[in-house]
Amino acid sequence: MILQRYILRQVVLSFVFAFAVIMGVFLVAMCFQTIRSYSSVGLGTLLRILPLVACNAASWAVFVSTCPAMTVVYGRLSADNEIDAMRISGIATRRMVTPALLFSLLVCAGTYGVVEGLAPDANYARRMLIREFSLELLRTPPPGKQHFPFGQFELSYLDASGGVLQLPYLIKYANGKPELEYTAVSGRVVLAEGRNPQLILSRPTAIEHDASGRVTLGSAMNDVPVELPLEEFFLADRRPDNMHLRELWSAAHREPKTGRRNWYLTVFWSRFAQSAAPFFLVLVSVPIGILVRRGSRLAGLGAALPPFLLYIVTYFIFQGMGENGRLPPWAAGFAPDATLFVLGSWLLWSVCRK
């Protein structure tokens, strides 16, 4: 019992340390990405975005930190010959592994709380916050080359000075395909209270795409206003990653198209599979750490990479197969966990035989 508490304490400390480091790296990277995409973002907006990003990144940080936490602890025990000493003392290998497996169940419960309880709403709130910030940028367009999405529109320009956009390019989409394209010498944004924003284009050239694929070209020598409807901009449907399980199930059975139904159901079953993934990652990582017999104390850190890469590769492969209908959605969702289970069971059986 004392031994199991000792191993459990080491596992918890290693996991917490790895999780804190990985989350810190994720958040710093997201700060740079946000600042790079929106150069004029303020500190207040950045502080509002980071908690929402953290909710989404937490589940992946759990997956990344689970493997090194286990391989480092059990790799150190193996490198210091403590595993051999415990076996000589008559302690079965399964008793050494039990603390890690029990801890993984707690991690699974926390992962479910994140991926189902926090992440969907946080993802949706982040989308709305970025849209709100994008609208604020229209009031004071930042200088330099920029690109902003506005609902059905995408706006880009080469530079801005005094509210005047140089060589603006505006494109409007309909059903995911370009419908209208505007290119102008210059432009400016007009914002009035209670009205939709207007982009005033100077001497624009317009390209219209109709449903049959024909293209119509036109130009004007004066200023042409283009309205950006706010209602469409802020009325955003929830995507599958913004939905809770009950919403995913209902949306899947309301969807007449098989392709979109497969998409919803694959995300639905993957939500459960993601919650259980830490257990199967531990099932693979612990035997790998024990098998690192003659490495240094940090040898287990390198040994953590293969199980995590295996999970990531199988996750994206089977996700695509499930969404495309090549596999039943439930099979695509649980296939990465099943792959880890087969590999982990074989590794654990090999270790326990010794």
Side-chain angles (χ1 to χ4, degrees), residues 302-317:
L305 193 58
F308 175 71
L309 288 179
L310 175 64
Y311 176 76
I312 291 296
V313 170
T314 54
Y315 175 82
F316 285 108
I317 289 176

Side-chain angles (χ1 to χ4, degrees), residues 21-35 50 53:
V21 170
I22 292 167
M23 279 297 294
V25 172
F26 278 173
L27 293 180
V28 170
M30 182 54 62
C31 286
F32 280 110
Q33 181 182 353
T34 304
I35 293 173
L50 285 182
V53 172

Side-chain angles (χ1 to χ4, degrees), residues 3 21 32 176 241 254 304:
L3 173 65
V21 170
F32 280 110
D241 60 334
R254 289 196 309 265

Side-chain angles (χ1 to χ4, degrees), residues 105-320:
L105 295 178
L106 296 177
V107 176
C108 289
T111 304
Y112 177 80
V114 172
V115 300
E116 169 58 17
L118 298 178
D121 292 331
N123 285 334
Y124 187 76
R126 180 168 59 91
R127 288 176 61 196
M128 293 298 100
L129 183 59
I130 291 176
R131 293 189 176 208
E132 178 184 333
F133 177 67
S134 298
L135 183 62
E136 191 63 29
L137 290 178
L138 288 176
R139 302 182 187 277
T140 55
K145 188 176 181 179
Q146 303 290 342
H147 175 267
F148 307 118
F150 296 97
Q152 295 181 337
F153 292 88
E154 288 186 7
L155 172 65
S156 58
Y157 55 85
L158 291 183
D159 200 2
S161 177
V164 178
L165 312 180
Q166 303 298 325
L167 294 179
Y169 172 69
L170 182 69
I171 182 169
K172 180 183 180 182
Y173 291 94
N175 299 321
K177 298 180 180 180
E179 183 181 51
L180 284 171
E181 297 179 68
Y182 296 95
T183 305
V185 176
S186 62
R188 68 183 189 277
V189 178
V190 177
L191 293 174
E193 190 69 27
R195 296 182 57 186
N196 290 325
Q198 282 191 335
L199 178 62
I200 310 298
L201 298 174
S202 177
R203 291 181 291 169
T205 299
I207 301 176
E208 182 178 3
H209 305 265
D210 61 15
S212 61
R214 291 180 298 180
V215 177
T216 304
L217 180 66
S219 61
M221 298 303 296
N222 55 347
D223 291 347
V224 176
V226 179
E227 191 173 80
L228 306 177
L230 286 178
E231 294 80 4
E232 297 179 4
F233 182 55
F234 283 105
L235 186 60
D237 293 334
R238 285 183 176 261
R239 301 183 307 211
D241 60 334
N242 306 148
M243 297 181 180
H244 294 281
L245 290 174
R246 184 176 299 176
E247 295 171 310
L248 282 169
W249 187 260
S250 299
H253 288 82
R254 289 196 309 265
E255 183 59 52
K257 297 181 181 179
T258 305
R260 290 187 63 86
R261 186 185 303 117
N262 288 336
W263 183 24
Y264 287 123
L265 291 176
T266 301
V267 175
F268 176 85
W269 293 112
S270 296
R271 197 74 59 81
F272 291 105
Q274 281 183 294
S275 302
F279 175 82
F280 299 103
L281 287 170
V282 169
L283 197 65
V284 175
S285 301
V286 169
I288 289 179
I290 294 176
L291 291 172
V292 183
R293 291 185 54 81
R294 297 182 181 178
S296 65
R297 294 190 177 191
L298 294 179
L301 192 60
L305 193 58
F308 175 71
L309 288 179
L310 175 64
Y311 176 76
I312 291 296
V313 170
T314 54
Y315 175 82
F316 285 108
I317 289 176
F318 287 114
Q319 278 278 307

